[in-house]
Amino acid sequence: MMVESASMSGDSLRKFLGVTVAAGLLSGCATSSFPPAPAVASDAAYNYVIGPGDSVNVVVWRNPELSMAVPVRPDGKITTPLVEDLPALGKDSSTLARDIEQALAKFIREPVVTVVVTSFVGPYSEQVRVVGEAATPQVLPYVQKMTLLDVMIAVGGVTEFADGNGASILRTGEGNKQYSVRIKDLLKRGDVSANVEMRPGDVLIIPQSWF
């Protein structure tokens, strides 16, 4: 997963969101024209990949002086003893461990490395964004099997001006396809059928109601 592609898609995403949110505000409580979001969306084969802001614990077997917890820098790289500027962005922990072993092999014989991610942020392209009439609009790290209810709890629900049943999910992983979701039914009426799974990179858009 490359930084260039994430930043490029971010520019187009911001433009798309500006148009989408504006359209949602103008439409008020109009029925959404988007298809309902599928109840199941997560990928069983999903592996968490490392992003800027994560913290990783690098353990080198029988070499405690080379073992330490390090942050992933904004450029997506890490620095450990004997290993400088090693790319970590977009790799899972096992892949990063093998890369560290290869780098350390220049200095020690047959290094055995374990990498444990201890603080999760994730790549920008996989974070879940909540915009519009959420109580606290924010960016959330994606978690496997994360649902719409999980997201709403994290952002503190919606404002009194929200058109909850007019909300939608912009699914960047499917070419910016958009799905309708029923937040009001889920939160106010306890309709569990309205609780759907999220995917990495989803943008939850909650418009304002004029009625």
Side-chain angles (χ1 to χ4, degrees), residues 119-133:
S119 177
F120 300 89
V121 176
Y124 294 124
S125 59
E126 294 204 352
Q127 293 170 353
V128 174
R129 292 167 171 80
V130 186
V131 298
E133 293 299 316

Side-chain angles (χ1 to χ4, degrees), residues 70-185:
V70 296
V72 181
R73 305 194 310 249
D75 63 0
K77 298 178 181 179
I78 64 170
T79 296
T80 65
L82 301 181
V83 180
E84 294 184 352
D85 299 335
L86 183 68
L89 177 65
K91 300 175 181 178
D92 60 28
S93 57
S94 296
T95 301
L96 181 58
R98 302 295 81 76
D99 289 349
I100 296 174
E101 287 175 351
Q102 184 176 2
L104 288 177
K106 302 174 185 177
F107 308 100
I108 61 177
R109 177 179 293 182
E110 297 181 353
V112 177
V113 176
T114 301
V115 172
V116 179
V117 183
T118 57
S119 177
F120 300 89
V121 176
Y124 294 124
S125 59
E126 294 204 352
Q127 293 170 353
V128 174
R129 292 167 171 80
V130 186
V131 298
E133 293 299 316
T136 53
Q138 59 184 285
V139 177
L140 303 170
Y142 174 78
V143 179
Q144 176 74 316
K145 294 292 183 180
M146 172 187 276
T147 67
L148 178 62
L149 181 59
D150 296 326
V151 171
M152 296 316 303
I153 291 173
V155 301
V158 297
T159 71
E160 60 180 311
F161 306 107
D163 177 13
N165 281 357
S168 62
I169 291 175
L170 176 70
R171 188 143 285 165
T172 62
E174 296 180 6
N176 290 340
K177 187 173 182 179
Q178 210 153 351
Y179 296 99
S180 65
V181 289
R182 297 179 291 118
I183 295 176
K184 181 178 179 180
D185 289 349

